[in-house]
């Protein structure tokens, strides 16, 4: 054989290869949904990690006893119903019949009990429920019972909580895993089955429709996690694409159907494409915060924390994070998610009116600021916290304080943020981040609003009044009473300043125009269909 | 020869041991905490501490290092902190895309760059030479990701000829596999082509001024035979050396290219693991890259004997 023949033969093989390619049984294209999630799915255990992407994965694979609608009213999902007795100190939950895990085993009350016990070790509202609980047992295969020390009005809301970690029900053998150790299998009873052998973390996660899943006809209207979970795709593929420009191009070309969170600059590009719809992912915006370290000078002094308020312009933070389009953010924001039942304007006056750097400088002097070093710690690789950090750094430069700005990657930030040491031993003074709307819409899972000192979220504010009010919130008989407590909490927070709210950012999503029926809230895969 | 190969293979053992020690120690000293990343923004400090303990990250350096080395000696690279999957499994999932990208890039680069360098040397001082040198300067100067974005914009978005992202395994057909690699290979190969073309030109210029080339010309040997049979063969040793060294360049470039074109290869695995401090994965991948690099150098050394009969081991 001559070399030329070899080359020609090779070329011919290359050209004819598609004809010779093995014929794989592919699902019909319109039954496959290709989705680009906001982040890589690194862990598949939605109790072990609080990562939002894992929570979303959880809603594919697992189911909850209850779901919540967009007014946060509970509706049964796996539950058939709940009966309350003994002055609401006993709650008996009955599972609806015909529930099966993906391995074919029937869902039993014992599975639910073990799952809830594991969840109650990690979730803030679960921990509170645990404090109220004397006993949680399976009465038989379909009934489980909470025996409470005193009534817990939020019981059903807790069982449908969408905040991370979420009370998903998994088989007892998995749920018996320690809450701080990752489960080794992904077996749920939800509308999709996780295809373990196609999982390639950092690249691809595949879900196939669970043929045995029966949507609950009594689950209320389709809204957030309530309502019957009707699935219209046989297969959902999560393609992890770290580069947002590439994700944008893939959506424009139709290589992908849905891009969960395009960045603001990519949103502009996508809005110009008539085959793509750009809209709010959720009506609940994420709240940005500037967090102080309360353990060390100068921010151990509340007067110094308050002194900077006249200089804080929430719109500066928001424009840096989300661009100038006003529909992408909101200012005038307090401690709670704007639009949620507990958002209020108590104590926000210092953040309103004309802003003044001079006034803030004067207040700093009067509060006794003596040029102590201030270290701002922030990431460069996560959009919103990075932008908020840059604005905070600029703000403090203009305040002419003794400033040190440490910009690094998120992995380092989360480690250094945990340091309680003073600045000369690697500590920090200020850090900025955002919290998802679901996490900060009420006092339950509002970590930065906790005032329990050493047990509090990073920054460790010690504000006992906040803790007392939070405890009383759980016992409040109705929403107006809860709102009154939330209002008082915000008033105290704006005085003690565990953090400064710096605005709220919208979560924007983009998908091909031929997709309809998306359920607003977060990336959920029931309801959505290809037109 | 075989004794030499055996000695070289043996020599990789201490090299790999030193690499292992450095990788482990540097990661131990580097800031970052996988437990905090796992726990997420909503976790309390106590939760982070418990996760750290459950992962064994609170144990002393020597205990962790000893356990890691012991496992490696048994062929176990460990388990990913995040995915709970064996590191070897995660690496195996990623080998094919990276290998494909590197092979296609290598073939493409050598096929284009060597003739470019030869022509530039042959036509020294002409427009062709200047064009090659201008391309080389451009190839060195423009970052891989910029080339990648431009290619994706032109050939995927505007012309709609090629996909903008992704990877199709070779088992699903040659064309689908190749189609996904064309743009990434060109993007990754640009700097490599520039490097090889420049080295080829410089080496060829030196060889073309040798007496034996003048003798060949005097004997009436044709230009093509002079260039490709006499000159290029004698210029091959430095060119092959550069190609070998360039493998490291490709590994580095693959990290960026795989991100831009969403290719699920080892480069992205490395970056993802570094960003979330998945220590076992980082250690496993770096060890693999080190081993590949040592192996490539060995192959290059052996290739010298093919091009230069005076070299004997």
């Amino acid at each position: 054989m001559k070399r030329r023949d070899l080359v020609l033969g090779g070329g011919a093989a290359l050209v004819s290869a598609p004809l010779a390619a093995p014929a794989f049984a592919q699902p019909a294209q319109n039954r496959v949904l290709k989705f680009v999630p906001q982040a890589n799915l690194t862990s598949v255990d939605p109790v072990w990690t609080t990562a939002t992407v894992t929570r979303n994965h959880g809603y594919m694979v697992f189911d909850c006893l209850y779901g919540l609608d967009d007014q946060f009213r509970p509706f049964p999902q796996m539950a058939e119903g709940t009966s309350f007795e003994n002055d609401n100190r006993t709650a008996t939950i009955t599972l609806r019949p015909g529930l099966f895990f993906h391995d074919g085993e029937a869902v039993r009350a014992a599975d639910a009990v073990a799952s809830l016990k594991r969840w109650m070790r990690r979730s803030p509202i679960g921990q509170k429920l645990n404090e109220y609980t004397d006993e949680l047992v399976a009465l038989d295969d379909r009934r489980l019972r909470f025996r409470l020390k005193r009534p817990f009005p939020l019981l059903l809301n807790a069982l449908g909580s969408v905040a991370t970690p979420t009370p998903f029900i998994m088989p007892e053998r998995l749920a018996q895993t320690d809450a701080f150790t990752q489960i080794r299998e992904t077996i749920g009873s939800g509308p999709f089955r996780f295809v373990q052998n196609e999982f390639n973390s950092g690249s691809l996660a595949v879900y196939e429709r669970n043929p045995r899943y029966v949507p609950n006809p009594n689950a209320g209207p389709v809204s957030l996690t309530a309502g019957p979970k009707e699935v219209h795709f046989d297969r959902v593929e999560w393609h992890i694409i770290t580069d947002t420009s590439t994700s944008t191009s893939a959506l424009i070309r139709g290589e992908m159907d849905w891009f969960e969170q395009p960045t603001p600059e990519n949103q502009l590009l996508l809005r110009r494409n008539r085959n793509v719809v750009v809209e709010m992912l959720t009506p609940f915006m994420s709240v940005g915060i500037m967090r102080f370290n309360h353990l060390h000078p100068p921010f151990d002094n509340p007067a110094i924390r308050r002194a900077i308020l006249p200089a804080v312009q929430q719109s500066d933070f928001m424009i840096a994070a989300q661009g100038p389009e006003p529909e992408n953010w909101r200012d005038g924001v307090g401690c709670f998610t704007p639009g949620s039942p507990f958002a209020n304007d108590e104590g926000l006056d210092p953040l309103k009116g004309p802003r003044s750097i001079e006034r803030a400088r004067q207040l700093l002097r009067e509060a006794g600021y003596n040029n102590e070093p201030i270290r701002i710690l922030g990431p460069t690789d996560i959009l919103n916290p990075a932008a908020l950090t840059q604005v905070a750094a600029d703000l403090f430069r203009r305040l002419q304080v003794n400033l040190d700005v440490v910009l690094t990657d998120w992995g380092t930030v989360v480690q250094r943020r945990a340091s309680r040491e003073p600045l000369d031993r690697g500590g920090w003074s200020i850090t900025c981040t955002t919290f998802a709307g679901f996490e900060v819409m009420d006092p339950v899972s509002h970590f930065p609003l906790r005032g329990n000192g050493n047990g509090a979220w990073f920054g460790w504010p010690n504000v006992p009044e906040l803790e007392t009010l939070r405890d009383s919130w759980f016992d409040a008989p109705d929403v107006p009473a809860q709102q009154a407590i939330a209002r008082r909490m915000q008033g105290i927070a704006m005085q003690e300043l565990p953090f400064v709210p710096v605005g709220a950012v919208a979560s924007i999503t983009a998908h091909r125009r031929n997709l309809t029926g998306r359920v607003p809230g977060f990336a959920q895969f029931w309801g959505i269909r290809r037109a | 020869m075989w004794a030499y190969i055996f000695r070289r293979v043996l020599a990789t053992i201490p090299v790999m041991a030193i690499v292992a020690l450095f990788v482990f120690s540097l990661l131990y000293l580097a800031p970052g905490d996988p437990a905090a990343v796992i726990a997420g923004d909503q976790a309390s400090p106590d939760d982070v501490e418990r996760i750290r303990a459950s992962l064994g990250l609170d144990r002393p350096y020597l205990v962790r290092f000893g356990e890691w080395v012991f496992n490696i000696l048994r062929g176990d690279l460990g388990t990913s902190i995040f995915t709970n999957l064996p590191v070897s499994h995660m690496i195996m999932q990623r080998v094919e895309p990276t290998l494909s990208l590197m092979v296609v890039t290598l073939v493409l680069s050598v096929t284009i760059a060597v003739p470019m360098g030869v022509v530039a040397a042959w036509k020294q001082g002409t427009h062709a030479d200047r064009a090659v040198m201008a391309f080389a300067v451009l190839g060195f100067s423009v970052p891989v990701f910029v080339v990648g974005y431009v290619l994706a914009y032109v050939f995927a978005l505007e012309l709609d000829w090629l996909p903008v992202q992704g990877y199709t395994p070779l088992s699903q057909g040659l064309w689908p596999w190749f189609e996904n690699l064309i743009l990434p290979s060109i993007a990754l190969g640009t700097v490599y082509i520039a490097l090889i073309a420049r080295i080829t030109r410089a080496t060829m210029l030196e060889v073309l001024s040798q007496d034996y080339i003048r003798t060949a010309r005097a004997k009436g040997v044709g230009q093509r035979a002079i260039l490709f049979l006499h000159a290029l063969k004698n210029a091959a040793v430095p060119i092959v050396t550069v190609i070998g060294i360039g493998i490291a360049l490709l590994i580095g470039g693959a990290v960026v290219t795989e991100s831009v074109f969403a290719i699920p290869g080892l480069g992205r695995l490395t970056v993802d693991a570094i960003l979330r401090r998945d220590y076992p994965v980082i250690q496993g991948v770096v060890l693999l890259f080190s081993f590949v690099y040592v192996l490539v150098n060995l192959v290059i050394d052996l290739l010298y004997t093919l091009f230069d009969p005076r070299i004997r081991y």
Side-chain angles (χ1 to χ4, degrees):
Chain A
M1 179 182 271
K2 291 180 180 173
R3 253 186 317 188
R4 184 174 299 170
D5 297 334
L6 190 69
V7 171
L8 288 175
L14 192 71
V15 171
S16 63
L19 302 175
F24 286 95
Q26 295 286 344
Q29 193 56 37
N30 61 354
R31 305 290 292 172
V32 178
L33 179 71
K34 294 186 176 180
F35 169 73
V36 182
Q38 52 163 288
N40 180 21
L41 180 68
T42 51
S43 165
V44 291
D45 185 344
V47 174
W48 184 64
T49 178
T50 59
T52 303
V53 69
T54 304
R55 187 270 314 268
N56 297 353
H57 152 86
Y59 272 105
M60 305 280 284
V61 178
F62 303 101
D63 208 353
C64 295
L65 294 177
Y66 277 80
L68 299 181
D69 71 358
D70 58 7
Q71 301 300 309
F72 301 97
R73 291 173 302 196
F75 289 89
Q77 278 294 351
M78 296 176 78
E80 190 173 67
T82 300
S83 63
F84 289 92
E85 293 150 359
N86 194 20
D87 288 336
N88 288 338
R89 288 205 192 99
T90 304
T92 305
I93 301 167
T94 306
L95 299 178
R96 65 188 170 104
L99 296 176
F100 291 96
F101 287 116
H102 301 151
D103 60 1
E105 294 292 319
V107 178
R108 300 164 304 132
D111 300 310
V113 167
S115 301
L116 293 177
K117 283 183 175 172
R118 184 170 187 253
W119 164 76
M120 287 196 296
R121 289 198 63 201
R122 295 297 303 274
S123 154
I125 194 168
Q127 287 163 359
K128 185 54 81 173
L129 174 59
N130 197 34
E131 284 175 26
Y132 279 63
T133 302
D134 255 342
E135 185 184 56
L136 170 60
V137 290
L139 299 178
D140 52 38
D141 275 358
R142 285 189 56 206
R143 291 183 306 146
L144 58 143
R145 186 181 68 197
F146 277 95
R147 194 155 54 78
L148 302 169
K149 293 170 184 152
R150 59 181 195 273
F152 190 70
L154 294 169
L155 176 64
L156 301 187
N157 295 69
L159 299 180
S161 169
V162 290
T164 57
T166 311
F168 294 121
I169 305 302
M170 49 186 73
E172 185 181 19
R173 64 187 167 84
L174 297 181
Q176 282 172 338
T177 308
D178 178 69
F180 294 91
T181 303
Q182 191 171 192
I183 56 172
R184 292 187 174 273
E185 282 179 89
T186 307
I187 304 285
S189 63
F192 289 92
R193 186 177 65 84
F194 183 60
V195 185
Q196 183 72 48
N197 61 355
E198 290 195 54
F199 178 46
N200 186 345
S201 178
S203 173
L204 182 68
V206 175
Y207 305 86
E208 286 177 352
R209 181 188 188 142
N210 173 12
R212 299 189 79 173
Y213 183 79
V214 180
N216 187 346
N218 303 314
V222 176
S223 170
L224 200 57
T225 58
K229 297 176 179 176
E230 301 279 359
V231 170
H232 304 285
F233 289 98
D234 291 337
R235 180 180 164 97
V236 175
E237 296 176 356
W238 287 19
H239 291 263
I240 288 85
I241 303 179
T242 48
D243 189 293
T244 58
S245 298
T246 306
S247 307
T248 302
S249 302
L251 183 64
I252 289 171
R253 287 197 83 238
E255 291 176 26
M256 294 293 143
D257 296 305
W258 184 3
F259 178 14
E260 187 179 2
Q261 280 190 8
T263 53
E265 67 274 15
N266 287 319
Q267 289 164 25
L268 294 175
L269 194 63
L270 289 166
R271 282 182 204 279
R272 290 207 295 264
N273 190 294
R274 62 182 167 195
N275 294 318
V276 173
V277 174
V278 180
E279 60 187 6
M280 298 269 277
L281 177 67
T282 168
F284 304 106
M285 293 181 161
S286 299
V287 175
I289 69 162
M290 182 163 62
R291 179 71 157 186
F292 299 110
N293 187 341
H294 289 236
L295 297 184
H296 302 291
F299 295 117
D300 57 345
N301 178 350
I304 289 183
R305 297 198 294 270
R306 284 192 291 268
I308 65 156
L309 290 182
V312 172
Q313 176 97 25
Q314 288 192 344
S315 58
D316 287 350
F317 287 86
M318 293 298 98
I319 290 171
Q322 290 289 301
E325 291 75 22
E327 65 271 22
N328 283 359
W329 50 266
R330 189 179 294 183
D331 56 1
V333 170
C335 295
F336 298 100
T337 308
S340 71
F342 304 108
N344 65 80
D345 59 358
E346 185 74 18
L348 294 185
D349 285 345
L351 290 173
K352 295 175 181 170
R355 306 287 79 201
S356 170
I357 291 284
E358 282 307 320
R359 174 78 181 132
R361 279 190 205 139
Q362 182 195 341
L363 288 175
L364 274 174
R365 282 193 297 272
E366 287 172 9
Y369 176 66
N370 196 23
N371 208 37
E372 293 96 339
I374 292 172
R375 178 173 297 141
I376 297 181
L377 174 66
T380 54
D381 53 344
I382 300 187
L383 179 67
N384 287 330
L388 302 185
T389 303
Q390 293 286 355
V391 177
D394 176 65
L395 173 69
F396 280 91
R397 276 190 201 105
R398 288 188 288 140
L399 287 172
Q400 295 174 345
V401 298
N402 180 1
L403 185 64
D404 174 29
V405 182
V406 175
L407 299 176
T408 179
D409 70 312
W410 182 245
T412 304
V413 169
V414 293
Q415 186 204 27
R416 289 193 65 172
R417 190 178 62 178
S419 168
R420 300 179 194 223
E421 297 289 340
L423 263 59
D424 57 0
R425 278 189 269 162
W428 57 277
S429 314
I430 286 174
T431 188
C432 295
T433 190
T434 54
F435 277 85
F438 294 125
E439 317 287 352
V440 291
M441 63 173 40
D442 59 39
V444 177
S445 54
H446 202 312
F447 285 95
L449 196 57
R450 297 294 301 270
N452 50 334
N454 281 338
W457 196 70
F458 312 98
W460 308 281
N462 188 9
V463 190
E465 301 96 306
L466 284 177
E467 290 300 296
T468 308
L469 284 168
R470 181 177 184 265
D471 286 341
S472 66
W473 192 87
F474 289 98
D475 295 320
D478 51 29
V479 171
Q482 290 174 335
Q483 285 172 325
I485 293 169
R487 198 171 180 85
R488 286 173 60 198
M489 288 182 80
Q490 182 166 300
I492 291 169
M494 291 308 296
Q495 272 297 311
E496 295 294 328
L497 287 176
F499 62 91
V500 177
V502 295
V505 294
S507 290
I508 303 293
T509 196
H511 57 78
R512 299 289 292 179
R513 191 168 292 280
N514 62 2
L515 291 182
T516 61
R518 188 181 70 80
V519 182
F522 50 91
Q524 300 165 107
F525 296 86
W526 53 87
I528 193 165
R529 67 178 74 197
R530 204 184 299 279
Chain B
M1 170 73 105
W2 289 110
Y4 173 77
I5 294 174
F6 182 70
R7 280 201 309 274
R8 285 291 300 268
V9 171
L10 271 186
T12 61
I13 294 171
V15 171
M16 297 304 294
I18 291 167
V19 168
L21 179 65
F22 266 90
V23 170
F24 193 92
S25 304
L26 285 174
L27 285 177
Y28 184 81
L29 294 173
D33 181 6
V37 176
I38 290 161
D41 226 7
Q42 285 81 39
S44 69
D46 282 350
D47 287 352
V48 175
E49 204 52 53
R50 282 181 204 165
I51 291 174
R52 190 178 296 121
S54 78
L55 295 171
L57 297 172
D58 55 347
R59 292 176 303 162
Y61 168 84
L62 282 177
V63 173
R64 287 166 57 192
F65 182 66
E67 187 181 76
W68 182 62
V69 169
F70 180 71
N71 285 336
I72 285 179
L73 292 177
R74 293 188 309 160
D76 178 6
L77 290 175
T79 304
S80 160
I81 289 173
F82 286 79
T83 64
N84 226 354
L85 295 168
V87 173
S88 52
H89 171 79
M90 294 176 74
I91 288 176
M92 286 311 291
Q93 279 183 319
R94 305 300 189 100
V95 164
E96 188 195 308
T98 299
L99 201 62
S100 300
L101 178 63
M102 290 178 71
V103 167
V104 173
T105 305
L106 202 61
V107 170
L108 187 84
S109 304
V110 172
T111 310
I112 294 172
V114 172
M116 271 172 73
V118 170
V119 168
W122 176 34
K123 301 283 184 186
Q124 188 192 9
T126 65
H127 289 308
D129 181 24
R130 289 196 194 97
V132 169
M133 287 304 97
F135 172 82
V137 170
L138 210 64
F140 275 123
S141 314
V142 183
V144 173
F145 71 91
V146 173
V147 178
Y149 284 138
V150 170
L151 290 173
Y153 178 75
V154 174
F155 293 100
L157 276 183
E158 289 298 311
L159 298 173
D160 204 21
W161 288 355
L162 294 163
V164 75
Q165 56 80 41
Y167 174 77
T168 307
L170 188 54
S171 59
Q172 293 186 24
L174 197 56
W175 174 246
W177 170 80
F178 188 62
E179 183 187 39
N180 276 114
L181 290 171
I182 295 172
L183 295 182
S185 300
I186 295 172
L188 178 57
T190 307
V191 64
Y192 206 46
I193 292 170
L195 175 70
I196 298 171
R198 276 189 79 103
I199 293 296
T200 306
R201 176 184 179 272
T203 318
M204 285 291 286
L205 281 176
E206 194 183 325
V207 172
L208 286 172
S209 65
Q210 299 283 316
D211 288 347
Y212 72 90
I213 296 291
R214 197 179 307 121
T215 306
R217 284 206 177 101
K219 282 166 61 185
V221 178
Q223 189 65 40
R224 188 188 295 183
I226 287 175
L227 285 175
F228 290 97
L229 291 181
H230 297 276
L232 187 57
K233 190 173 179 186
N234 284 292
V237 169
I239 295 171
V240 169
T241 306
V242 166
I243 291 172
I245 292 168
I247 300 281
L249 207 64
L250 281 187
I251 291 172
V255 172
V256 178
T257 311
E258 286 174 6
S259 293
V260 170
F261 291 97
I263 295 172
L266 289 166
R268 271 183 63 196
L269 180 67
T270 313
V271 173
D272 291 345
I274 289 170
L275 287 177
R276 63 182 189 237
R277 308 296 193 270
D278 198 342
Y279 298 139
V281 176
I282 303 170
Q283 289 155 355
V285 174
V286 173
L287 269 188
L288 175 75
F289 283 152
S290 310
F291 182 70
V292 168
Y293 199 63
V294 168
L295 207 65
V296 166
N297 273 293
L298 174 61
V299 172
I300 297 297
D301 283 352
L302 297 178
L303 280 177
Y304 289 163
T305 60
L306 286 182
F307 296 113
D308 189 345
R310 292 168 299 181
I311 298 174
R312 283 283 174 270
Y313 298 118

